[in-house]
Amino acid sequence: MALRYAVLGLLSKAEMSGYDLTQRFTQEVSHFWNAHHTQIYRELQKLEDEGLLHHQVVEQSDRPDKKIYSLTDAGLEALLTWLSESPKPPKMKNESLLRVSLFHLIPPERAIAFLEESKRAHQEIISLMNLWKQEHFPDDHPVPQEIGEYLTIEYGTRFVQTWIDWCEFAIGVFSKLR
Amino acid sequence: MALRYAVLGLLSKAEMSGYDLTQRFTQEVSHFWNAHHTQIYRELQKLEDEGLLHHQVVEQSDRPDKKIYSLTDAGLEALLTWLSESPKPPKMKNESLLRVSLFHLIPPERAIAFLEESKRAHQEIISLMNLWKQEHFPDDHPVPQEIGEYLTIEYGTRFVQTWIDWCEFAIGVFSKLR
DNA sequence: GAATCATATGTGAGTTTGCACATATGGACG
DNA sequence: CGTCCATATGTGCAAACTCACATATGATTC
């Protein structure tokens, strides 16, 4: 039920195509939401059927034509209504932690290797996030219209850094066991 | 596809009923996985059909009878195989951050109220987690068999604390705007 | 000239998940 | 005696999601 509001939310900032939305979901927005492109196209169809969106076809010469979607008044209203509701408690699904919870089943060396690899991967992610931050907020100071992006990317980096720090902690715990 | 391994994982530590599993999912395991009880009962059925589990009915006089599930050899093998595979990158779904990304649409007072409430709720959660920690690891030192639980609860508290700290940061940003 | 890539939009089929509802036992509480 | 609570296990249906596959355009690359 929340994907629709992620879509409406992105479209409230700028009208765009399903392809553009897919890019956003795999890039800027990926640290708090994700969706497969097939799901996005179906959701756009549904939202248009409900009158929350409409689209216009843009013909392109060098690329395939595209459909640019934008919010209707009803769409903006639905988004604002949802924003005023209280959020449900989040439902965690962390496959890495699920594996960690079973680390008593494998030798410490394997556990350490897993953690080292995870740490390395997240260090790469945080580098990319920091680059994005510097590009978009070079003065570390958002304009009011971009405050949401500023705060969510800030949370994103803190979240990843917490994981990296915890990996080091966990590696330390296993190292003492060996 | 990962719920099955969460179930097999819990059963690898101790045999138990679907009801017991449901309790675990809403308590100890809730900081990294969740599942509705209807989903658990269906998964148990499926895993048994595949020969990864079997059960025995335990008759009780003061309560309804129950089915105690335990791993078969094939079940343990499947779990170990999965543990040796590399994890897929996590797919984030954070409804609170989705709302935050749209905070330019609401007045700063409402944004601050949202963040204050979220912070308060997470402070309650972290209190409960710390109590649990003190009960299970009073010396802050796990036995090898419990290292997974020790590390995951440690991550859980760090994760929640990161959210609380970020809430304070975000409240500060909005306060300057007002 | 062929193969590949980025752009662009989808369908069909299956799996996973969530929600409402159903059923049953025995203890506790008023 | 009735109601509620914790225990215990499910079904039916709908929504959300994933994966494989399908199609088309024009630019780039070999």
Side-chain angles (χ1 to χ4, degrees):
Chain A
M1 208 53 199
L3 170 65
R4 67 192 300 121
Y5 299 109
V7 169
L8 291 173
L10 283 170
L11 290 174
S12 78
K13 299 180 186 185
E15 56 179 31
M16 64 184 98
S17 67
Y19 189 85
D20 296 330
L21 281 167
T22 303
Q23 303 293 93
R24 301 297 181 100
F25 274 104
T26 56
Q27 289 160 23
E28 295 106 284
V29 177
S30 64
H31 53 285
F32 64 87
W33 211 269
N34 79 89
H36 198 264
H37 79 276
T38 56
Q39 201 186 352
I40 292 169
Y41 286 116
R42 272 191 264 247
E43 193 70 36
L44 286 169
Q45 184 62 59
K46 208 195 298 179
L47 290 168
E48 189 159 36
D49 291 347
E50 293 177 34
L52 306 183
L53 293 181
H54 57 80
H55 81 269
Q56 54 192 34
V57 175
V58 174
E59 290 179 19
Q60 299 185 116
S61 56
D62 57 337
R63 293 168 183 182
D65 299 347
K66 60 180 174 180
K67 298 180 181 178
I68 297 293
Y69 286 88
S70 46
L71 292 192
T72 60
D73 293 345
L76 181 57
E77 198 187 337
L79 183 60
L80 292 174
T81 301
W82 174 77
L83 256 183
S84 70
E85 291 163 7
S86 341
K88 286 165 282 181
K91 288 165 187 168
M92 302 296 296
K93 297 218 171 161
N94 187 324
E95 202 172 304
S96 288
L97 275 188
L98 175 55
R99 284 165 203 272
V100 170
S101 77
L102 300 170
F103 271 2
H104 60 280
L105 294 174
I106 63 172
E109 299 76 38
R110 288 253 315 278
I112 290 174
F114 176 94
L115 292 163
E116 292 279 15
E117 170 54 23
S118 183
K119 179 185 162 189
R120 195 202 54 70
H122 282 80
Q123 279 171 332
E124 270 183 32
I125 291 169
I126 213 170
S127 297
L128 292 173
M129 289 175 115
N130 280 328
L131 276 179
W132 193 90
K133 246 166 135 174
Q134 282 161 32
E135 271 178 43
H136 285 62
F137 305 106
D139 318 331
D140 195 45
H141 192 77
V143 298
Q145 277 303 305
E146 286 174 343
I147 198 161
E149 274 157 89
Y150 175 75
L151 291 177
T152 52
I153 189 70
E154 173 66 25
Y155 176 76
T157 53
R158 289 178 183 221
F159 172 81
V160 178
Q161 188 60 52
T162 299
W163 181 262
I164 293 168
D165 294 344
W166 171 85
C167 280
E168 282 172 13
F169 168 79
I171 291 164
V173 171
F174 276 106
S175 300
K176 277 176 214 150
L177 275 191
R178 242 195 327 196
Chain B
M1 209 54 199
L3 170 66
R4 66 191 304 120
Y5 300 109
V7 169
L8 291 173
L10 283 171
L11 290 175
S12 79
K13 299 180 187 185
E15 56 178 30
M16 63 184 100
S17 68
Y19 189 84
D20 296 330
L21 282 166
T22 304
Q23 303 293 93
R24 301 294 183 102
F25 273 104
T26 57
Q27 290 160 24
E28 295 106 281
V29 176
S30 64
H31 54 284
F32 65 87
W33 210 269
N34 79 87
H36 199 263
H37 79 275
T38 56
Q39 201 186 351
I40 292 169
Y41 286 115
R42 271 191 268 247
E43 194 69 38
L44 286 170
Q45 183 63 59
K46 208 195 298 176
L47 290 168
E48 189 159 34
D49 291 348
E50 292 177 33
L52 306 183
L53 293 181
H54 59 80
H55 80 268
Q56 55 193 36
V57 176
V58 174
E59 291 180 20
Q60 299 184 116
S61 56
D62 56 336
R63 293 168 183 180
D65 299 347
K66 61 181 175 181
K67 299 179 181 177
I68 297 293
Y69 286 88
S70 47
L71 292 191
T72 61
D73 293 346
L76 181 58
E77 197 186 338
L79 182 60
L80 291 174
T81 301
W82 174 76
L83 256 183
S84 71
E85 291 164 7
S86 342
K88 286 166 282 183
K91 288 165 186 168
M92 302 296 296
K93 298 218 168 159
N94 187 324
E95 202 173 305
S96 288
L97 274 188
L98 176 54
R99 284 165 203 271
V100 170
S101 77
L102 300 170
F103 270 3
H104 60 279
L105 294 173
I106 64 173
E109 300 77 36
R110 288 251 316 277
I112 291 174
F114 176 94
L115 292 163
E116 293 279 15
E117 169 54 23
S118 183
K119 179 185 161 190
R120 195 201 53 72
H122 282 80
Q123 279 171 330
E124 270 183 33
I125 291 168
I126 213 171
S127 298
L128 291 173
M129 290 175 113
N130 280 328
L131 275 180
W132 194 90
K133 247 167 137 173
Q134 282 161 32
E135 270 178 44
H136 290 257
F137 304 106
D139 318 331
D140 195 46
H141 192 75
V143 297
Q145 277 303 306
E146 286 174 343
I147 198 160
E149 274 157 90
Y150 175 76
L151 290 176
T152 53
I153 190 68
E154 173 66 25
Y155 176 76
T157 54
R158 289 179 182 219
F159 172 81
V160 176
Q161 188 62 50
T162 299
W163 182 262
I164 292 169
D165 293 344
W166 171 85
C167 280
E168 281 172 14
F169 169 79
I171 290 165
V173 172
F174 275 108
S175 299
K176 278 175 214 149
L177 275 190
R178 239 192 331 195

